[in-house]
Amino acid sequence: MEKLRLGINIDHVATLRNARGGATPDPVRAALAAEEAGADGITAHLREDRRHIRDADMEAIRQAISIPLNFEMAATDEMARIALQTKPHAVCLVPERREERTTEGGLEVAADQTRLAHYIAPLRDAGARISLFVAADPAQIEAASHVGAQVVELHVGPYCDAVDEGRADDAAAELKRVTAAAAQAHDLGLEVHAGHGLSYTSVAPIAALPQVMELNIGHFLMGEALFRGLPGAISEMRRLMDQARAAAV
Ligand code: PXP
């Protein structure tokens, strides 16, 4: 099985910085620390309301790191303009609602295929690898294969919530859906990633899925970093991912 990549989402370093309005903690420093600790990529979400990452952060992160930058964004004209200027390695399109605390559902691809195909084309032409953050839903995954995306990132939030809340039957059912979605996406020629809500207790079954090539993890690791430091928090996640991968072979 190929090695599983770990993308670190550093949005919440900016959340903490913005709580005081100053310059610390610095998300660029976090990105560099994550790179030093073995991250394979950095993910940052420039939201419409700029509640955490800001335009200048995105540019500064891209210039500072030597690993790929995954620019997470809503499929709006404003974000397309910024992404075309920033030239990230990858773009991950997510749904966005102002009132949500975090990205809640997957992107509606099936009902928006024509618009998304036109939206994706120039970003792809500019060299970005396009990922769509979708629910583990066969119709959305099928649609993702028609609009020019190279990657789907499977929304594993429902599975992680069930694990965190001790709902074993729901966790098993959600894992089944994610497993089927990963196989379907792979068969359609899409690279498969997964993310949202992953922690030390939920990561192993997702890391063991052979089609999954990358995990993107943020909130849990930033919280864990308070106690172990960012390098320690990331190393432990890396260890659990590698262990699950090795056990699955
Ligand atoms: N992937 C996507 C597409 C996301 O929107 C998020 C949350 O911003 C993550 C991964 C990371 O999720 P978490 O912070 O819960 O680990």
Side-chain angles (χ1 to χ4, degrees), residues 9 11 72 92 94 102-103 133 153 195-198 216-219:
N9 181 316
D11 291 348
E72 207 185 301
C92 180
V94 300
T102 180
T103 312
F133 183 56
E153 180 168 329
H196 211 286
L198 287 163
N216 283 302
I217 310 180
H219 182 266

